[in-house]
Amino acid sequence: MKYKNPILPGMHPDPSVCRVGEDYFLVNSSFEYFPGIPVFHSRDLLHWEQLGHCIERTEQLTLRKGFPGATGTYAPTIRYHEGTFYVVCTNVAYGGETDGNFFVWTKDPFQKNAWSDPVRLETPGIDPSFYFEGEHAYYTGAAESKIFLCEIDIKTGKYKKEPVFIWNGTGGNDPEGPHLYKKDNWYYLMISEGGTELGHMVTIARSHNIYGPYEPDEKNPILTNRSTAAEIKAAGHADIFEDHLGNYHAVCLGTRSISYPFKHNLGRETMLLPVLWEKGAFPVLGTEGRLETEYDAPSFSDSEWLEGVPKQLLACTGKFYDDFSSEDLNPCWNFIYEPADFTCQAKKEEHAGLLLKSNGHKLCEDQGTAFLGHRQEHHEFEAETKVSFSPMNTGDETGLTIYLNHRHHYEIAIQKTENKTVLLFRRQIGTLVSEIQKKCVIPEDGITLKLSGTKEKYSFSYSMDGINFQLLGEGEAAYLTTEVGGMFTGNYIGLYTAGKEECTSLFHYFKYSQTL
Ligand code: 6LW
């Protein structure tokens, strides 16, 4: 059997994996989105159920405002040591300053609300990783364009040994994303260089002494798709792990382009690749150092496990439906910065669905509007919702948006203008804003809004009866890409309510499906 990359499509960057027995756990960065740091579990490496997030309570962390796509949680690493799972991460503040490295821990990631409050670390820079050996908790990170190593007290987060720079890579920009492994009496330090764009690459060095000197592999970079015709671009930020049968694999990030020069709108996605790691030798990643789209599936699968996973928790299957009737929000949903004021109402209630209340902020403000977002996971997709809305004040608005950040988004909305309610199609690309209004009478039981995506365009339509749709407007996909709108995130499909603070809308359901 073959599998196709990405294994987690849509914005799932900076993947890290750890294994306990036959169970595999994976985490990603999530930047300004809340809950933060999604946690996935698998027993076959190809299907992943989302267990929840490391950051689920606002008291744990304040995700910093001011520079969406570049602030919040960066590059977590997950490791397991003596009965405890650790996820170490950075909360980056405005302008690239870090608000500090921290780790959270749990003994049972399957539990609800599993993860501890953050233990703050004194370390500088970004991209933290743990390596445990006996009673030593080693920490590697990236700061001042170099990789450093220190030792910490895993109870308090305090230094046991202060940072020492151990390698600065092979000359590429932004040496980062370090992970330390020990094999056959060698310490292997694997990092990324070249930036997280088209020049991205993975390099490695090794030493018999954990503090170095580290000697680079002659074959560096050991993974890169730069200057190749490979479909997946930007392969980098990898983490290696051994499976329960003794074979090695890696996860890394990569992007899939939609136009030329290469641009991507799904964010950086999680890829899985085979690793050949022979005794005493450096590891060989992917296909002689290149990441292909298709590989042979791992030799193990666990259909019993898969059958037991609630369908709604299987991530990125290309089919998702939510009528918001369960008390807990599905973990695939994200807010911006912090939870919006919302209620999920059970089917038996008169107004079943998601009640979403405005927080006074518009979609174009960087303070975080009342928004519930689902990652765009496929280039070709359709998303649909039905919304009821009785706007009171001029400017009250609710709708369905395709959203990269507050300055780059397209949406179909219902808006209250001075003397009427209109259907609105808006495109915002930086400071360019285009709006088209169409006068209409919204049926009392709601209007159906639909967004369809292809590699070329996003199309927005509406229906008064839920059957017959009329196109309202279209916008180019190429302008809603990370290359155009920055920085590290990908597109979300969002339900939102904006206007005076008492303004509330009722979303009856949300439907997402891959169409190709
Ligand atoms: C992350 C860095 C990177 O900290 O991008 O691709 C940064 N790698 O390692 C944000 O995800």
Side-chain angles (χ1 to χ4, degrees):
M1 198 188 107
K2 303 259 184 206
Y3 73 90
K4 268 198 152 186
N5 275 314
I7 52 162
L8 287 174
M11 190 190 97
H12 294 99
D14 306 323
S16 172
V17 166
C18 78
R19 174 179 67 85
V20 182
E22 297 184 15
D23 293 292
Y24 298 81
F25 300 87
L26 186 152
V27 290
N28 296 111
S29 313
S30 52
F31 303 92
E32 70 267 32
Y33 291 99
F34 186 95
I37 318 180
V39 185
F40 301 93
H41 164 248
S42 176
R43 287 177 67 97
D44 65 8
L45 300 182
L46 303 181
H47 301 89
W48 295 86
E49 62 168 325
Q50 187 165 359
L51 300 182
H53 294 82
C54 290
I55 302 298
E56 290 186 328
R57 309 179 295 280
T58 45
E59 310 79 70
Q60 280 173 294
L61 208 66
T62 303
L63 293 170
R64 301 293 290 265
K65 302 183 177 175
F67 199 167
T71 54
T73 54
Y74 272 43
T77 298
I78 185 163
R79 293 292 181 259
Y80 177 78
H81 179 63
E82 292 181 351
T84 304
F85 292 82
Y86 297 90
V87 171
V88 59
C89 192
T90 316
N91 185 19
V92 176
Y94 179 70
E97 292 295 308
T98 69
D99 195 15
N101 292 298
F102 66 90
F103 70 85
V104 289
W105 59 268
T106 181
K107 298 232 178 242
D108 182 4
F110 293 100
Q111 241 180 32
K112 234 179 155 181
N113 218 342
W115 295 86
S116 73
D117 282 339
V119 177
R120 306 278 170 183
L121 297 162
E122 304 169 274
T123 50
I126 57 166
D127 293 4
S129 183
F130 280 154
Y131 165 69
F132 294 96
E133 191 172 314
E135 64 205 26
H136 300 278
Y138 293 103
Y139 173 113
T140 51
E144 298 170 29
S145 290
K146 291 189 199 90
I147 305 302
F148 69 87
L149 174 70
C150 60
E151 210 184 311
I152 63 158
D153 178 330
I154 199 65
K155 290 272 171 298
T156 62
K158 298 273 176 230
Y159 285 134
K160 273 190 157 175
K161 274 198 184 127
E162 302 250 334
V164 175
F165 286 109
I166 52 171
W167 198 38
N168 61 359
T170 62
N173 58 295
D174 299 309
E176 60 190 14
H179 293 302
L180 255 187
Y181 313 98
K182 191 174 189 185
K183 189 172 177 294
D184 311 322
N185 241 351
W186 288 100
Y187 292 99
Y188 286 88
L189 175 63
M190 188 173 78
I191 73 166
S192 285
E193 299 181 46
T196 191
E197 307 91 36
L198 295 177
H200 213 193
M201 53 183 168
V202 177
T203 58
I204 196 162
R206 69 182 182 182
S207 173
H208 284 303
N209 182 336
I210 196 163
Y211 281 96
Y214 278 87
E215 286 170 25
D217 184 356
E218 277 174 9
K219 293 209 184 88
N220 277 327
I222 57 166
L223 180 71
T224 189
N225 277 3
R226 67 181 184 194
S227 313
T228 71
E231 187 190 342
I232 297 167
K233 311 291 177 202
H237 203 108
D239 193 10
I240 299 183
F241 57 96
E242 187 184 9
D243 71 24
H244 57 281
L245 302 179
N247 301 307
Y248 289 88
H249 310 263
V251 282
C252 75
L253 69 79
T255 58
R256 292 180 292 162
S257 311
I258 54 167
S259 59
Y260 188 82
F262 302 125
K263 291 186 266 306
H264 67 283
N265 59 344
L266 304 186
R268 297 165 301 158
E269 308 175 279
T270 291
M271 314 287 172
L272 176 73
L273 55 153
V275 173
L276 180 67
W277 203 349
E278 288 178 339
K279 199 166 179 202
F282 281 100
V284 178
L285 269 59
T287 313
E288 288 167 19
R290 272 189 344 279
L291 172 65
E292 305 271 12
T293 303
E294 202 172 84
Y295 283 107
D296 287 335
S299 57
F300 52 93
S301 62
D302 188 339
S303 45
E304 214 172 282
W305 160 71
L306 198 50
E307 276 157 31
V309 177
K311 237 169 118 199
Q312 282 292 88
L313 297 184
L314 263 192
C316 312
T317 57
K319 263 213 170 319
F320 177 72
Y321 179 82
D322 201 342
D323 60 7
F324 306 103
S325 60
S326 97
E327 221 172 86
D328 294 323
L329 264 187
N330 188 292
C332 70
W333 287 111
N334 277 176
F335 301 103
I336 304 173
Y337 301 125
E338 63 220 343
D341 187 342
F342 76 100
T343 324
C344 289
Q345 305 202 125
K347 254 188 182 153
K348 52 185 183 297
E349 303 205 15
E350 192 188 337
H351 300 295
L354 170 83
L355 268 178
L356 189 62
K357 192 168 172 207
S358 170
N359 59 13
H361 294 298
K362 295 183 186 152
L363 210 50
C364 61
E365 294 172 29
D366 71 1
Q367 295 305 302
T369 199
F371 163 108
L372 195 63
H374 179 286
R375 288 166 179 80
Q376 181 189 342
E377 294 161 354
H378 309 90
H379 289 127
E380 283 84 12
F381 74 95
E382 241 173 49
E384 189 185 294
T385 187
K386 184 173 173 185
V387 61
S388 301
F389 188 49
S390 309
M392 310 275 289
N393 300 293
T394 302
D396 283 358
E397 179 182 317
T398 192
L400 178 67
T401 180
I402 180 79
Y403 179 92
L404 175 64
N405 55 44
H406 67 292
R407 298 179 69 242
H408 300 85
H409 46 94
Y410 305 157
E411 50 269 351
I412 183 167
I414 304 164
Q415 194 192 55
K416 172 104 168 61
T417 61
E418 249 164 53
N419 44 22
K420 55 188 187 298
T421 300
V422 294
L423 257 173
L424 179 75
F425 172 55
R426 178 192 295 119
R427 283 166 294 170
Q428 175 164 4
I429 305 162
T431 54
L432 288 177
V433 181
S434 148
E435 289 187 354
I436 295 166
Q437 290 182 354
K438 187 178 165 110
K439 208 173 151 197
C440 73
V441 179
I442 310 287
E444 238 175 63
D445 69 337
I447 181 169
T448 308
L449 306 176
K450 191 195 280 194
L451 160 64
S452 316
T454 65
K455 285 186 183 171
E456 286 73 42
K457 62 188 179 189
Y458 292 110
S459 309
F460 295 85
S461 47
Y462 64 95
S463 169
M464 299 301 181
D465 58 10
I467 300 164
N468 301 296
F469 283 85
Q470 264 190 294
L471 185 70
L472 187 63
E474 296 184 318
E476 293 90 339
Y479 297 138
L480 280 194
T481 52
T482 310
E483 285 75 5
V484 172
M487 285 286 291
F488 294 123
T489 54
N491 289 352
Y492 270 73
I493 300 152
L495 311 173
Y496 73 96
T497 310
K500 288 262 165 56
E501 283 185 35
E502 67 276 13
C503 150
T504 303
S505 33
L506 174 72
F507 293 94
H508 302 238
Y509 65 86
F510 174 82
K511 203 157 85 178
Y512 173 91
S513 48
Q514 179 182 11
T515 49
L516 206 86

